Amino acid sequence: MPTHHGPRRARIAFSDAAAKQLENITSESELHALDRALVVISVDPGAGEPLPGDSSGPALRQYTDEVEAVRVLYFVTALRTVVVVAYIEV
C-alpha cells in the first residue's frame, strides 16, 4: 500500500549572522517559537511577505508570527528547495 506524504519541505540553512543569533537563543520557549516559524517557511517558502529592494541580490522575504513574537528574514533559492535564513528576531 503506498504511503501518502505531505508536501515536500524546503531545507533550512542559516547565514553566518543568523547562525550566531541562533546560538544566543537559550530560552526553550523562544526555540520552540522559532522552530514553529521555520516549519511554516519550509512547508511554504512563499509564506512571508517580500521586502522592498533592488534586484542585485536575492529577494528577501519577511515572515512574522505575531502570536509567537518571531520575525525571520530569509530568501529562497531558485528551485525553492532551500530557504536561507538571514536574520532572526525572537
Side-chain angles (χ1 to χ4, degrees):
M1 186 178 324
T3 15
H4 297 283
H5 298 284
R8 184 178 175 108
R9 291 183 179 187
R11 188 171 59 92
I12 300 288
F14 295 92
S15 69
D16 290 342
K20 286 187 185 223
Q21 290 173 309
L22 185 60
E23 289 175 3
N24 292 330
I25 298 173
T26 57
S27 162
E28 180 101 10
S29 63
E30 287 178 345
L31 283 173
H32 179 70
L34 177 60
D35 186 53
R36 289 174 51 101
L38 294 176
V39 167
V40 169
I41 294 169
S42 71
V43 170
D44 180 11
E49 298 177 10
L51 292 175
D54 59 25
S55 60
S56 64
L60 281 176
R61 301 185 71 81
Q62 170 181 268
Y63 176 79
T64 305
D65 184 330
E66 301 293 335
V67 174
E68 297 283 354
V70 174
R71 179 175 174 233
V72 178
L73 301 183
Y74 66 98
F75 63 92
V76 183
T77 60
L79 297 177
R80 300 181 62 84
T81 57
V82 178
V83 171
V84 180
V85 175
Y87 176 80
I88 301 167
E89 207 174 89
V90 182

